[in-house]
């Protein structure tokens, strides 16, 4: 994250430093040509924005993966089954809701055992196995 912030700051400083020199240069020439400096400054700004967006997406993905891991580990531990699939993951107000299925343990009717779990900041707030509270 510090690297991305440094890249963004460098892009802003480069753009700010280039703008006054470019403005002085354009006063003497009365036409607006795009030069290499404009292209480089634009590429730096676009690159900084892309880097910030990519970093944000990676952090969100890491938090989601951690929530799924915590829920599936706890469901496997409490049920004695093994994770079959993650059915659905949603996020609302910082809480992750994870729904999944466990394949090794089937209840007396022969259905897969399912779980639903709520996590925030790595802490499990609730866990339900096949419709019963754990």
């Amino acid at each position: 994250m510090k690297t991305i912030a440094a890249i963004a700051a460098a892009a802003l400083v480069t753009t700010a430093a280039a703008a006054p020199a470019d403005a002085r240069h354009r006063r003497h020439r009365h036409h607006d040509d795009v030069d290499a400096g404009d292209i480089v400054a634009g590429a730096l700004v676009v690159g900084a924005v892309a880097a910030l967006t990519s970093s944000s997406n990676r952090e969100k993905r890491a938090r989601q993966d951690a929530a799924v891991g915590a829920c599936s580990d706890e469901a496997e531990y409490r049920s004695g089954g093994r994770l079959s699939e993650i059915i659905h993951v949603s996020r609302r107000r910082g809480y992750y809701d994870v729904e999944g299925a466990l394949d090794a343990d089937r209840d007396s009717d022969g259905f897969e055992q399912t779980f639903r779990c709520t996590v925030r900041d790595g802490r499990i707030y609730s866990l339900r196995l096949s419709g019963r509270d754990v």
Side-chain angles (χ1 to χ4, degrees):
M1 187 64 179
K2 289 180 182 180
T3 304
I4 294 168
I7 291 170
L12 290 174
V13 168
T14 303
T15 303
D22 190 40
R24 284 193 303 271
H25 181 69
R26 288 181 188 229
R27 265 190 299 223
H28 299 294
R29 292 184 336 185
H30 294 288
H31 50 83
D32 290 334
D33 290 336
V34 176
D35 60 2
D38 294 335
I39 293 170
V40 170
L44 286 174
V45 170
V46 168
V49 169
L52 288 172
T53 302
S54 175
S55 172
S56 175
N57 288 341
R58 272 183 269 151
E59 288 174 12
K60 287 179 184 176
R61 181 61 184 213
R63 282 190 294 251
Q64 178 178 319
D65 289 348
V68 168
C71 284
S72 60
D73 288 348
E74 189 67 18
E76 286 178 336
Y77 173 74
R78 300 255 180 137
S79 71
R82 301 199 80 202
L83 180 68
S84 171
E85 67 177 311
I86 296 297
I87 298 167
H88 182 74
V89 178
S90 62
R91 180 177 180 263
R92 188 170 52 114
R93 296 182 184 165
Y95 291 88
Y96 286 91
D97 288 320
V98 180
E99 296 178 49
L102 302 164
D103 66 358
D105 279 273
R106 296 187 180 268
D107 65 17
S108 60
D109 296 330
F111 293 106
E112 279 186 313
Q113 189 172 29
T114 60
F115 68 91
R116 183 173 181 162
C117 177
T118 302
V119 176
R120 181 174 187 167
D121 296 329
R123 181 174 174 219
I124 296 175
Y125 282 86
S126 69
L127 174 67
R128 289 179 69 91
L129 292 171
S130 292
R132 55 189 163 103
D133 285 326
V134 177

